[in-house]
Amino acid sequence: MQQTRLDTARIRAARRMIDPVFLDTPLYRCEALEPGLGCAVSIKLETANPVRSFKARGTELVASLLPDDGPRAVVCASAGNLGQALAWSGRGRGLDVTVVASRHATVAKLDRIRALGARLELVDGDHELARERAAAIARHDGIRLVEDSLDIETCEGAATIGLELVEDLADTVPPFDAVLIALGGGAMATGVGHVVKALAPGVEVICVQPLGAPAMTRSWRTRRVVTTDSADTIADGVAGRCPIPAVLDDLLLVADDAVLVQESSIIAGMRMLLDHAGLVVEPSAALGVAAILEDPDRFAGRHVVTIVCGSNVDVDAYHRWVGTAP
Protein backbone atom coordinates (compact mmCIF):
# COMPACT_ATOMS: atom_id res chain seq x y z
CA MET A 1 0.00 0.00 0.00
CA GLN A 2 1.22 3.51 -0.78
CA GLN A 3 2.01 5.62 2.26
CA THR A 4 -0.65 7.73 3.92
CA ARG A 5 0.16 10.24 6.67
CA LEU A 6 -0.73 7.55 9.18
CA ASP A 7 1.66 5.06 10.75
CA THR A 8 0.55 1.61 11.92
CA ALA A 9 3.16 1.45 14.69
CA ARG A 10 1.97 4.79 16.09
CA ILE A 11 -1.62 3.56 15.93
CA ARG A 12 -0.71 0.50 17.97
CA ALA A 13 1.06 2.74 20.49
CA ALA A 14 -1.99 5.03 20.64
CA ARG A 15 -4.00 2.35 22.38
CA ARG A 16 -1.83 2.78 25.46
CA MET A 17 -2.69 6.50 25.63
CA ILE A 18 -6.46 6.23 25.17
CA ASP A 19 -8.62 5.69 28.23
CA PRO A 20 -9.73 2.03 28.10
CA VAL A 21 -13.36 3.11 28.45
CA PHE A 22 -13.23 4.03 24.75
CA LEU A 23 -11.44 0.88 23.55
CA ASP A 24 -12.50 -2.66 22.62
CA THR A 25 -16.03 -1.61 21.78
CA PRO A 26 -18.59 -4.33 20.99
CA LEU A 27 -18.51 -6.00 17.59
CA TYR A 28 -21.38 -8.41 17.07
CA ARG A 29 -23.49 -10.01 14.39
CA CYS A 30 -26.97 -8.48 14.38
CA GLU A 31 -29.10 -11.19 12.81
CA ALA A 32 -32.32 -9.26 13.39
CA LEU A 33 -31.23 -6.71 10.78
CA GLU A 34 -30.42 -9.28 8.14
CA PRO A 35 -33.87 -10.18 6.71
CA GLY A 36 -34.47 -6.51 5.88
CA LEU A 37 -31.00 -5.96 4.43
CA GLY A 38 -30.36 -9.22 2.59
CA CYS A 39 -26.84 -9.75 3.90
CA ALA A 40 -24.99 -10.67 7.06
CA VAL A 41 -24.46 -7.54 9.17
CA SER A 42 -22.17 -6.93 12.12
CA ILE A 43 -22.23 -3.77 14.20
CA LYS A 44 -19.16 -2.06 15.61
CA LEU A 45 -20.73 -0.05 18.42
CA GLU A 46 -18.92 3.21 19.16
CA THR A 47 -21.67 4.77 21.30
CA ALA A 48 -21.39 2.92 24.63
CA ASN A 49 -18.95 5.35 26.22
CA PRO A 50 -19.05 8.62 28.18
CA VAL A 51 -19.32 10.85 25.09
CA ARG A 52 -21.42 8.46 22.98
CA SER A 53 -19.22 8.66 19.90
CA PHE A 54 -15.87 7.48 18.56
CA LYS A 55 -14.33 10.96 18.71
CA ALA A 56 -12.69 10.54 22.10
CA ARG A 57 -10.27 8.00 20.67
CA GLY A 58 -8.69 10.95 18.88
CA THR A 59 -9.03 13.59 21.59
CA GLU A 60 -7.50 11.25 24.14
CA LEU A 61 -4.47 11.03 21.90
CA VAL A 62 -4.35 14.81 21.37
CA ALA A 63 -4.58 15.52 25.09
CA SER A 64 -2.02 12.86 26.01
CA LEU A 65 0.58 14.25 23.62
CA LEU A 66 0.36 17.91 24.64
CA PRO A 67 3.72 19.02 26.06
CA ASP A 68 3.72 19.60 29.81
CA ASP A 69 5.68 22.83 29.44
CA GLY A 70 3.35 24.37 26.85
CA PRO A 71 -0.03 26.12 27.11
CA ARG A 72 -2.58 23.93 28.85
CA ALA A 73 -5.39 25.16 26.63
CA VAL A 74 -6.94 23.92 23.40
CA VAL A 75 -9.63 25.08 21.01
CA CYS A 76 -11.59 23.27 18.32
CA ALA A 77 -14.50 23.74 15.99
CA SER A 78 -17.16 21.09 16.27
CA ALA A 79 -20.61 20.09 15.11
CA GLY A 80 -20.92 18.63 18.61
CA ASN A 81 -19.25 15.26 19.00
CA LEU A 82 -15.62 16.37 18.77
CA GLY A 83 -16.35 19.17 21.21
CA GLN A 84 -17.80 16.78 23.75
CA ALA A 85 -14.86 14.43 23.35
CA LEU A 86 -12.26 17.18 23.70
CA ALA A 87 -14.08 18.57 26.74
CA TRP A 88 -14.06 15.11 28.35
CA SER A 89 -10.40 14.45 27.58
CA GLY A 90 -9.38 17.94 28.68
CA ARG A 91 -11.33 17.89 31.93
CA GLY A 92 -9.43 14.86 33.18
CA ARG A 93 -6.08 16.50 32.39
CA GLY A 94 -6.69 20.01 33.64
CA LEU A 95 -6.91 21.58 30.19
CA ASP A 96 -8.80 24.76 29.38
CA VAL A 97 -11.03 23.74 26.47
CA THR A 98 -12.86 26.11 24.12
CA VAL A 99 -15.30 24.76 21.56
CA VAL A 100 -16.64 26.84 18.68
CA ALA A 101 -19.88 25.63 17.12
CA SER A 102 -22.68 26.82 14.92
CA ARG A 103 -25.61 28.32 16.73
CA HIS A 104 -27.70 25.89 14.70
CA ALA A 105 -25.92 22.79 16.00
CA THR A 106 -27.87 20.07 17.81
CA VAL A 107 -28.93 21.51 21.15
CA ALA A 108 -28.30 18.26 23.04
CA LYS A 109 -24.68 18.26 21.85
CA LEU A 110 -24.15 21.89 22.85
CA ASP A 111 -25.66 21.29 26.29
CA ARG A 112 -23.36 18.35 26.86
CA ILE A 113 -20.27 20.37 25.87
CA ARG A 114 -21.19 22.93 28.51
CA ALA A 115 -21.89 20.22 31.09
CA LEU A 116 -18.40 18.80 30.56
CA GLY A 117 -16.88 22.13 31.54
CA ALA A 118 -15.75 23.55 28.20
CA ARG A 119 -16.23 27.17 27.18
CA LEU A 120 -18.64 27.22 24.25
CA GLU A 121 -18.67 29.98 21.65
CA LEU A 122 -21.42 30.01 19.05
CA VAL A 123 -21.22 31.54 15.58
CA ASP A 124 -24.01 32.63 13.26
CA GLY A 125 -23.02 30.34 10.42
CA ASP A 126 -22.15 26.76 9.60
CA HIS A 127 -19.26 24.52 10.61
CA GLU A 128 -16.85 26.12 8.17
CA LEU A 129 -17.34 29.50 9.84
CA ALA A 130 -16.78 27.80 13.21
CA ARG A 131 -13.48 26.43 11.88
CA GLU A 132 -12.38 29.93 10.90
CA ARG A 133 -13.29 31.33 14.31
CA ALA A 134 -11.49 28.52 16.17
CA ALA A 135 -8.35 29.16 14.13
CA ALA A 136 -8.55 32.87 14.97
CA ILE A 137 -8.83 32.13 18.69
CA ALA A 138 -5.83 29.80 18.52
CA ARG A 139 -3.72 32.47 16.79
CA HIS A 140 -4.78 35.22 19.18
CA ASP A 141 -4.32 33.20 22.37
CA GLY A 142 -1.31 31.19 21.25
CA ILE A 143 -2.95 27.86 22.06
CA ARG A 144 -3.33 24.49 20.35
CA LEU A 145 -5.92 24.34 17.60
CA VAL A 146 -7.35 20.85 17.29
CA GLU A 147 -8.42 20.33 13.69
CA ASP A 148 -10.43 17.19 13.20
CA SER A 149 -9.12 15.00 10.36
CA LEU A 150 -6.19 17.32 9.60
CA ASP A 151 -4.51 16.60 12.95
CA ILE A 152 -3.02 13.15 12.60
CA GLU A 153 -3.94 12.26 16.19
CA THR A 154 -7.64 12.43 15.35
CA CYS A 155 -7.11 10.00 12.47
CA GLU A 156 -4.80 7.63 14.32
CA GLY A 157 -7.06 7.62 17.36
CA ALA A 158 -9.98 6.62 15.14
CA ALA A 159 -7.71 4.08 13.45
CA THR A 160 -7.66 2.02 16.64
CA ILE A 161 -11.18 0.98 15.62
CA GLY A 162 -9.56 -0.63 12.60
CA LEU A 163 -7.10 -2.54 14.76
CA GLU A 164 -9.97 -3.99 16.75
CA LEU A 165 -11.85 -4.94 13.59
CA VAL A 166 -8.84 -6.70 12.08
CA GLU A 167 -8.09 -8.54 15.32
CA ASP A 168 -11.67 -9.82 15.44
CA LEU A 169 -11.71 -10.78 11.77
CA ALA A 170 -10.17 -14.20 12.35
CA ASP A 171 -12.86 -15.06 14.89
CA THR A 172 -15.80 -13.80 12.82
CA VAL A 173 -17.86 -16.49 11.09
CA PRO A 174 -18.21 -15.97 8.25
CA PRO A 175 -15.41 -13.37 7.99
CA PHE A 176 -16.65 -9.92 7.00
CA ASP A 177 -15.59 -8.70 3.57
CA ALA A 178 -16.60 -5.03 3.70
CA VAL A 179 -16.67 -2.22 6.22
CA LEU A 180 -19.03 0.74 5.84
CA ILE A 181 -17.71 4.00 7.30
CA ALA A 182 -19.48 7.33 7.69
CA LEU A 183 -17.59 9.99 5.76
CA GLY A 184 -17.41 13.60 6.88
CA GLY A 185 -14.07 15.28 7.43
CA GLY A 186 -12.40 11.92 6.96
CA ALA A 187 -10.70 11.06 10.29
CA MET A 188 -12.53 7.79 10.79
CA ALA A 189 -12.54 6.84 7.11
CA THR A 190 -8.81 7.42 6.65
CA GLY A 191 -7.91 5.94 10.02
CA VAL A 192 -9.91 2.75 9.78
CA GLY A 193 -9.19 2.52 6.06
CA HIS A 194 -5.43 2.75 6.62
CA VAL A 195 -5.41 -0.14 9.09
CA VAL A 196 -7.77 -2.35 7.10
CA LYS A 197 -5.82 -1.91 3.87
CA ALA A 198 -2.50 -2.46 5.64
CA LEU A 199 -3.54 -5.56 7.61
CA ALA A 200 -6.59 -7.01 5.84
CA PRO A 201 -6.40 -5.76 2.25
CA GLY A 202 -9.11 -8.12 1.03
CA VAL A 203 -11.75 -6.25 3.03
CA GLU A 204 -13.52 -3.59 0.98
CA VAL A 205 -13.51 -0.09 2.51
CA ILE A 206 -16.67 1.78 1.54
CA CYS A 207 -17.27 5.35 2.68
CA VAL A 208 -20.82 6.69 2.93
CA GLN A 209 -21.93 10.31 2.85
CA PRO A 210 -25.32 12.05 2.56
CA LEU A 211 -26.37 13.26 -0.86
CA GLY A 212 -27.01 16.65 0.75
CA ALA A 213 -23.38 16.98 1.92
CA PRO A 214 -21.34 15.41 -0.88
CA ALA A 215 -18.10 17.41 -0.88
CA MET A 216 -15.66 14.71 0.21
CA THR A 217 -17.28 12.03 -1.96
CA ARG A 218 -17.19 14.27 -5.01
CA SER A 219 -13.57 15.05 -4.19
CA TRP A 220 -12.72 11.34 -3.93
CA ARG A 221 -14.40 10.63 -7.26
CA THR A 222 -12.65 13.44 -9.12
CA ARG A 223 -9.33 13.05 -7.24
CA ARG A 224 -9.26 16.77 -6.43
CA VAL A 225 -10.79 18.96 -3.75
CA VAL A 226 -14.39 19.88 -4.54
CA THR A 227 -16.14 22.33 -2.22
CA THR A 228 -19.85 23.03 -2.01
CA ASP A 229 -21.70 26.25 -1.22
CA SER A 230 -23.97 24.60 1.33
CA ALA A 231 -24.78 21.36 3.10
CA ASP A 232 -28.36 20.18 3.54
CA THR A 233 -28.69 17.01 5.61
CA ILE A 234 -29.96 15.83 8.96
CA ALA A 235 -26.59 14.09 9.40
CA ASP A 236 -24.95 17.11 11.03
CA GLY A 237 -21.85 15.16 12.06
CA VAL A 238 -20.75 14.78 8.43
CA ALA A 239 -22.06 18.02 6.96
CA GLY A 240 -18.79 19.58 5.84
CA ARG A 241 -18.37 21.70 2.71
CA CYS A 242 -14.60 22.14 2.37
CA PRO A 243 -12.46 18.98 2.28
CA ILE A 244 -8.91 19.19 3.57
CA PRO A 245 -6.41 18.37 0.78
CA ALA A 246 -4.11 16.22 2.93
CA VAL A 247 -7.05 14.17 4.17
CA LEU A 248 -8.30 13.63 0.64
CA ASP A 249 -4.85 12.40 -0.35
CA ASP A 250 -5.04 9.77 2.40
CA LEU A 251 -8.60 8.81 1.49
CA LEU A 252 -7.63 8.24 -2.12
CA LEU A 253 -5.14 5.61 -0.95
CA VAL A 254 -7.41 3.63 1.37
CA ALA A 255 -11.03 3.89 0.18
CA ASP A 256 -12.31 1.40 -2.38
CA ASP A 257 -15.49 3.35 -2.91
CA ALA A 258 -17.42 6.40 -1.73
CA VAL A 259 -21.19 6.48 -2.10
CA LEU A 260 -23.95 9.00 -1.50
CA VAL A 261 -27.29 8.17 0.13
CA GLN A 262 -30.61 9.95 0.34
CA GLU A 263 -32.11 11.43 3.49
CA SER A 264 -35.03 8.99 3.35
CA SER A 265 -32.58 6.09 3.46
CA ILE A 266 -30.78 7.58 6.46
CA ILE A 267 -34.07 7.85 8.33
CA ALA A 268 -35.01 4.31 7.33
CA GLY A 269 -31.62 3.14 8.62
CA MET A 270 -32.16 4.89 11.94
CA ARG A 271 -35.56 3.25 12.25
CA MET A 272 -34.14 -0.20 11.46
CA LEU A 273 -31.42 0.22 14.07
CA LEU A 274 -34.08 1.14 16.63
CA ASP A 275 -36.56 -1.58 15.73
CA HIS A 276 -34.15 -4.46 15.13
CA ALA A 277 -31.04 -3.61 17.14
CA GLY A 278 -32.50 -1.55 19.98
CA LEU A 279 -30.15 1.31 19.18
CA VAL A 280 -30.95 5.02 19.25
CA VAL A 281 -28.43 6.56 16.85
CA GLU A 282 -27.78 9.92 15.28
CA PRO A 283 -28.16 10.16 11.49
CA SER A 284 -24.43 9.82 10.75
CA ALA A 285 -24.40 6.45 12.49
CA ALA A 286 -27.07 5.08 10.15
CA LEU A 287 -25.22 5.86 6.93
CA GLY A 288 -23.90 2.31 6.57
CA VAL A 289 -27.36 0.78 6.84
CA ALA A 290 -28.64 3.40 4.40
CA ALA A 291 -26.00 2.33 1.86
CA ILE A 292 -27.15 -1.29 2.05
CA LEU A 293 -30.79 -0.27 1.69
CA GLU A 294 -30.03 1.71 -1.46
CA ASP A 295 -27.95 -1.00 -3.15
CA PRO A 296 -29.01 -4.39 -1.78
CA ASP A 297 -27.73 -6.33 -4.79
CA ARG A 298 -24.20 -5.12 -4.13
CA PHE A 299 -24.20 -6.60 -0.62
CA ALA A 300 -26.37 -9.69 -1.14
CA GLY A 301 -24.71 -12.78 0.32
CA ARG A 302 -21.87 -10.80 1.88
CA HIS A 303 -20.90 -10.11 5.49
CA VAL A 304 -20.69 -6.38 6.13
CA VAL A 305 -19.54 -4.43 9.19
CA THR A 306 -21.11 -1.03 9.78
CA ILE A 307 -19.56 1.33 12.31
CA VAL A 308 -22.29 2.87 14.49
CA CYS A 309 -20.33 5.98 15.29
CA GLY A 310 -22.55 8.25 17.43
CA SER A 311 -25.77 8.52 19.39
CA ASN A 312 -25.90 12.18 20.37
CA VAL A 313 -29.26 13.12 18.95
CA ASP A 314 -31.90 15.71 19.76
CA VAL A 315 -34.81 13.74 21.21
CA ASP A 316 -37.55 15.82 19.61
CA ALA A 317 -35.90 15.64 16.19
CA TYR A 318 -35.37 11.92 16.58
CA HIS A 319 -39.06 11.36 17.25
CA ARG A 320 -39.97 13.44 14.21
CA TRP A 321 -37.68 11.33 12.04
CA VAL A 322 -38.40 7.82 13.20
CA GLY A 323 -41.60 8.06 15.23
CA THR A 324 -42.12 7.41 18.91
CA ALA A 325 -42.89 3.70 18.90
CA PRO A 326 -41.76 0.62 16.95
Side-chain angles (χ1 to χ4, degrees), residues 225-243:
V225 170
V226 176
T227 62
T228 59
D229 293 331
S230 62
D232 183 14
T233 177
I234 62 171
D236 60 299
V238 294
R241 297 189 293 104
C242 302

Side-chain angles (χ1 to χ4, degrees), residues 8 35 44 47 52 71 75 99 101 103 109 143 145 151 158 163 198 219 227 232 244 247 298 300 305:
T8 304
K44 180 65 168 168
T47 64
R52 304 202 311 212
V75 59
V99 179
R103 196 175 303 280
K109 295 181 179 181
I143 62 176
L145 172 64
D151 286 2
L163 288 179
S219 299
T227 62
D232 183 14
I244 298 168
V247 182
R298 175 177 185 170
V305 171

